[in-house]
Every structure is written in C-alpha cells, then in structure tokens.
Amino acid sequence: MNALASKAQLRRGFWLRALVTVPLVVLLGFGSAMVAPGGDENPWFQTLVKPAIQPPNIAFPIVWTILYALMGLALALVLSARGARGRGAAILLFVVQLAVNLAWSPIFFRFHMIDLALIVIIALAVLVAVTMVAFWRVRRLAGLMLLPYLAWVCFASVLFSQVRDLNPDAENIASGAAGAQISSDTL
C-alpha cells in the first residue's frame, strides 16, 4: 500500500522532530559553553583587550539560544523532507558544521589556541554557508532559517579577528596568571 501523508500528518511529523532537534541542538551548544565558559566567567578572556564592536557579554547567550533554536527547527524541516533529493548530504553537512561550531569555544576559551580558533571560525563560516545552500535545496525555509546563523558567524569572525589583532600575545597569557592579574588589580 502506497499512500501519501496528509498535510496535517506532515506538520505533526515536523513538530515531533522539532521537539527533539531544538532542545538537542540548544543543549549541545550550552554544553560546549559549560566546558569552556566565556565572557565574565573566563578570567583569561577578561584580561584581553576587546574591540569597540564587542557586544555586551549578556548578548552572547541570548543570541546563541535563538540561533541554536533556529538551527534545530531548520534541521527538523530537513529531517521531515523524506525522499527529498540531497537530504542525506544536507544532514551530514549540518552535523559537521555543528561539530565545528561546538569545538570553537573550547579551542579559544579553554585552550587559548588563537591561531587554530581563527582557522576553525573561518571553516565554520564556510561550512554554515554550504549547509545553508544544501538546506535551501531540500526546503527553502530551512535554508533561510540558517541565514541569521551565517550572519552571526561572519560577525563573530570579524570580532574574533579584531580580538586576535589587539592581543598578539594572548596565547602566552596563562590562565593562572590571568586570575592573579585580576586579583592584584582588584586589591
């Protein structure tokens, strides 16, 4: 028996997938941030000179929560597109770009590997763009939902590049020294 699903069944399938993908992507993003906290929670990062375009620290968890939710919704749309040409490749690209995304915070905030972090964030921007195109080909709305993510990663690349330029010796600042410097400054 070969029956087509009704629009209501398709919608229900999407929402069921979204109930898994959105929390999963958001939790993975927060997990990466827990492994390598940034902003005010990172003494090493606090010692770095920040560019004028640096948003307030509170902006980052808000923006990333929204972006991760959009990514989860976009993934649910693609997962719901059974039989769509390019679906498997789009899902694989999504997984790869998400892994690169999740790797960036520990590379920068925990291990202070500035040069590697630059390579990773540039690779991430390229991967997000390619994933966006692949998602667009499966479901246009899914591709559009990744546009804010691509914009933010491009902005983050510029921001990070400026942080890197303003702090040429950042890799040599030890976490313990950063904490000691903060302690002596506050006394």
Side-chain angles (χ1 to χ4, degrees), residues 42-50 167 173-174 177-179 181-182 185:
N42 187 309
W44 172 79
F45 185 69
Q46 287 178 347
T47 65
L48 300 180
V49 178
K50 313 299 185 303
N167 299 278
I173 299 172
Q181 180 179 354
I182 291 170
D185 289 346

Side-chain angles (χ1 to χ4, degrees), residues 49-73:
V49 178
K50 313 299 185 303
I53 64 169
Q54 175 85 17
N57 288 335
I58 190 64
F60 291 93
I62 293 168
V63 169
W64 277 111
T65 301
I66 293 166
L67 294 175
Y68 285 134
L70 285 171
M71 290 165 60
L73 288 170

Side-chain angles (χ1 to χ4, degrees), residues 22-109:
V22 172
L24 178 64
V25 173
V26 170
L27 287 173
L28 286 171
F30 283 130
S32 177
M34 296 299 287
V35 168
D40 293 334
E41 297 175 20
N42 187 309
W44 172 79
F45 185 69
Q46 287 178 347
T47 65
L48 300 180
V49 178
K50 313 299 185 303
I53 64 169
Q54 175 85 17
N57 288 335
I58 190 64
F60 291 93
I62 293 168
V63 169
W64 277 111
T65 301
I66 293 166
L67 294 175
Y68 285 134
L70 285 171
M71 290 165 60
L73 288 170
L75 178 60
L77 280 170
V78 171
L79 289 171
S80 297
R82 292 186 178 264
R85 210 164 119 223
R87 177 178 174 260
I91 293 168
L92 179 62
L93 282 165
F94 181 87
V95 169
V96 170
Q97 70 76 30
L98 183 60
V100 172
N101 172 313
L102 298 175
W104 189 87
S105 286
I107 290 169
F108 179 67
F109 289 114

